[in-house]
mmCIF file of all heavy atoms in Angstrom:
data_model
loop_
_atom_site.group_PDB
_atom_site.id
_atom_site.type_symbol
_atom_site.label_atom_id
_atom_site.label_comp_id
_atom_site.label_asym_id
_atom_site.label_seq_id
_atom_site.Cartn_x
_atom_site.Cartn_y
_atom_site.Cartn_z
ATOM 1 N N ILE A 1390 -6.476 -10.443 -11.613
ATOM 2 C CA ILE A 1390 -7.015 -10.019 -12.905
ATOM 3 C C ILE A 1390 -6.204 -10.665 -14.030
ATOM 4 O O ILE A 1390 -6.761 -11.212 -14.995
ATOM 5 C CB ILE A 1390 -6.996 -8.482 -13.040
ATOM 6 C CG1 ILE A 1390 -7.991 -7.836 -12.069
ATOM 7 C CG2 ILE A 1390 -7.307 -8.059 -14.482
ATOM 8 C CD1 ILE A 1390 -9.449 -8.168 -12.324
ATOM 9 N N SER A 1391 -4.877 -10.628 -13.905
ATOM 10 C CA SER A 1391 -4.027 -11.252 -14.929
ATOM 11 C C SER A 1391 -4.242 -12.759 -14.987
ATOM 12 O O SER A 1391 -4.309 -13.345 -16.079
ATOM 13 C CB SER A 1391 -2.555 -10.943 -14.646
ATOM 14 O OG SER A 1391 -2.276 -9.585 -14.922
ATOM 15 N N LEU A 1392 -4.357 -13.402 -13.833
ATOM 16 C CA LEU A 1392 -4.565 -14.848 -13.817
ATOM 17 C C LEU A 1392 -5.916 -15.214 -14.418
ATOM 18 O O LEU A 1392 -6.043 -16.225 -15.112
ATOM 19 C CB LEU A 1392 -4.447 -15.365 -12.381
ATOM 20 C CG LEU A 1392 -3.010 -15.381 -11.847
ATOM 21 C CD1 LEU A 1392 -2.997 -15.480 -10.329
ATOM 22 C CD2 LEU A 1392 -2.230 -16.537 -12.466
ATOM 23 N N GLY A 1393 -6.931 -14.394 -14.174
ATOM 24 C CA GLY A 1393 -8.222 -14.631 -14.806
ATOM 25 C C GLY A 1393 -8.132 -14.504 -16.318
ATOM 26 O O GLY A 1393 -8.689 -15.316 -17.063
ATOM 27 N N ARG A 1394 -7.415 -13.496 -16.782
ATOM 28 C CA ARG A 1394 -7.242 -13.311 -18.227
ATOM 29 C C ARG A 1394 -6.427 -14.445 -18.845
ATOM 30 O O ARG A 1394 -6.562 -14.736 -20.041
ATOM 31 C CB ARG A 1394 -6.564 -11.970 -18.488
ATOM 32 C CG ARG A 1394 -7.460 -10.774 -18.195
ATOM 33 C CD ARG A 1394 -6.764 -9.439 -18.403
ATOM 34 N NE ARG A 1394 -7.696 -8.334 -18.206
ATOM 35 C CZ ARG A 1394 -7.376 -7.046 -18.280
ATOM 36 N NH1 ARG A 1394 -6.119 -6.695 -18.556
ATOM 37 N NH2 ARG A 1394 -8.290 -6.127 -18.088
ATOM 38 N N ALA A 1395 -5.597 -15.085 -18.035
ATOM 39 C CA ALA A 1395 -4.780 -16.204 -18.522
ATOM 40 C C ALA A 1395 -5.535 -17.534 -18.474
ATOM 41 O O ALA A 1395 -4.969 -18.570 -18.842
ATOM 42 C CB ALA A 1395 -3.499 -16.302 -17.704
ATOM 43 N N GLY A 1396 -6.778 -17.509 -17.992
ATOM 44 C CA GLY A 1396 -7.593 -18.723 -18.003
ATOM 45 C C GLY A 1396 -7.507 -19.568 -16.763
ATOM 46 O O GLY A 1396 -7.995 -20.708 -16.751
ATOM 47 N N ALA A 1397 -6.910 -19.045 -15.685
ATOM 48 C CA ALA A 1397 -6.800 -19.820 -14.453
ATOM 49 C C ALA A 1397 -8.131 -19.816 -13.699
ATOM 50 O O ALA A 1397 -8.970 -18.934 -13.867
ATOM 51 C CB ALA A 1397 -5.706 -19.235 -13.566
ATOM 52 N N ASN A 1398 -8.306 -20.819 -12.856
ATOM 53 C CA ASN A 1398 -9.460 -20.901 -11.964
ATOM 54 C C ASN A 1398 -9.108 -20.107 -10.714
ATOM 55 O O ASN A 1398 -8.392 -20.594 -9.837
ATOM 56 C CB ASN A 1398 -9.748 -22.362 -11.633
ATOM 57 C CG ASN A 1398 -10.908 -22.532 -10.663
ATOM 58 O OD1 ASN A 1398 -11.695 -21.606 -10.458
ATOM 59 N ND2 ASN A 1398 -11.036 -23.709 -10.075
ATOM 60 N N VAL A 1399 -9.576 -18.865 -10.617
ATOM 61 C CA VAL A 1399 -9.095 -17.956 -9.585
ATOM 62 C C VAL A 1399 -10.253 -17.236 -8.910
ATOM 63 O O VAL A 1399 -11.248 -16.894 -9.547
ATOM 64 C CB VAL A 1399 -8.082 -16.945 -10.187
ATOM 65 C CG1 VAL A 1399 -8.696 -16.153 -11.322
ATOM 66 C CG2 VAL A 1399 -7.516 -16.017 -9.117
ATOM 67 N N ALA A 1400 -10.117 -17.041 -7.600
ATOM 68 C CA ALA A 1400 -11.108 -16.321 -6.807
ATOM 69 C C ALA A 1400 -10.404 -15.265 -5.972
ATOM 70 O O ALA A 1400 -9.256 -15.454 -5.553
ATOM 71 C CB ALA A 1400 -11.881 -17.277 -5.900
ATOM 72 N N PHE A 1401 -11.109 -14.162 -5.717
ATOM 73 C CA PHE A 1401 -10.545 -13.074 -4.922
ATOM 74 C C PHE A 1401 -11.418 -12.828 -3.707
ATOM 75 O O PHE A 1401 -12.652 -12.809 -3.802
ATOM 76 C CB PHE A 1401 -10.446 -11.792 -5.743
ATOM 77 C CG PHE A 1401 -9.871 -10.626 -4.986
ATOM 78 C CD1 PHE A 1401 -8.508 -10.541 -4.749
ATOM 79 C CD2 PHE A 1401 -10.690 -9.613 -4.510
ATOM 80 C CE1 PHE A 1401 -7.975 -9.471 -4.034
ATOM 81 C CE2 PHE A 1401 -10.172 -8.538 -3.808
ATOM 82 C CZ PHE A 1401 -8.803 -8.471 -3.567
ATOM 83 N N PHE A 1402 -10.753 -12.609 -2.545
ATOM 84 C CA PHE A 1402 -11.455 -12.330 -1.293
ATOM 85 C C PHE A 1402 -10.944 -11.008 -0.732
ATOM 86 O O PHE A 1402 -9.734 -10.803 -0.582
ATOM 87 C CB PHE A 1402 -11.224 -13.462 -0.293
ATOM 88 C CG PHE A 1402 -11.906 -14.744 -0.681
ATOM 89 C CD1 PHE A 1402 -11.315 -15.598 -1.610
ATOM 90 C CD2 PHE A 1402 -13.141 -15.086 -0.155
ATOM 91 C CE1 PHE A 1402 -11.946 -16.771 -1.998
ATOM 92 C CE2 PHE A 1402 -13.773 -16.261 -0.526
ATOM 93 C CZ PHE A 1402 -13.179 -17.103 -1.452
ATOM 94 N N GLY A 1403 -11.866 -10.128 -0.436
ATOM 95 C CA GLY A 1403 -11.509 -8.823 0.102
ATOM 96 C C GLY A 1403 -12.764 -8.028 0.363
ATOM 97 O O GLY A 1403 -13.853 -8.589 0.542
ATOM 98 N N GLU A 1404 -12.644 -6.704 0.376
ATOM 99 C CA GLU A 1404 -13.808 -5.871 0.620
ATOM 100 C C GLU A 1404 -13.747 -4.596 -0.194
ATOM 101 O O GLU A 1404 -12.668 -4.170 -0.630
ATOM 102 C CB GLU A 1404 -13.942 -5.536 2.102
ATOM 103 C CG GLU A 1404 -12.828 -4.701 2.674
ATOM 104 C CD GLU A 1404 -11.684 -5.537 3.196
ATOM 105 O OE1 GLU A 1404 -11.876 -6.723 3.516
ATOM 106 O OE2 GLU A 1404 -10.567 -4.987 3.268
ATOM 107 N N VAL A 1405 -14.910 -4.019 -0.412
ATOM 108 C CA VAL A 1405 -15.031 -2.748 -1.123
ATOM 109 C C VAL A 1405 -16.031 -1.884 -0.372
ATOM 110 O O VAL A 1405 -16.811 -2.360 0.463
ATOM 111 C CB VAL A 1405 -15.508 -2.944 -2.581
ATOM 112 C CG1 VAL A 1405 -14.485 -3.725 -3.382
ATOM 113 C CG2 VAL A 1405 -16.873 -3.632 -2.626
ATOM 114 N N GLY A 1406 -16.030 -0.607 -0.682
ATOM 115 C CA GLY A 1406 -17.020 0.290 -0.121
ATOM 116 C C GLY A 1406 -18.333 0.188 -0.878
ATOM 117 O O GLY A 1406 -18.396 -0.295 -2.014
ATOM 118 N N ASP A 1407 -19.378 0.647 -0.238
ATOM 119 C CA ASP A 1407 -20.711 0.632 -0.845
ATOM 120 C C ASP A 1407 -20.874 1.906 -1.667
ATOM 121 O O ASP A 1407 -21.551 2.860 -1.277
ATOM 122 C CB ASP A 1407 -21.774 0.541 0.247
ATOM 123 C CG ASP A 1407 -23.178 0.407 -0.335
ATOM 124 O OD1 ASP A 1407 -23.282 0.155 -1.554
ATOM 125 O OD2 ASP A 1407 -24.154 0.563 0.420
#
Side-chain angles (χ1 to χ4, degrees):
I1390 292 296
S1391 288
L1392 287 162
R1394 290 178 176 178
N1398 178 16
V1399 58
F1401 180 77
F1402 291 82
E1404 64 271 337
V1405 296
D1407 185 12

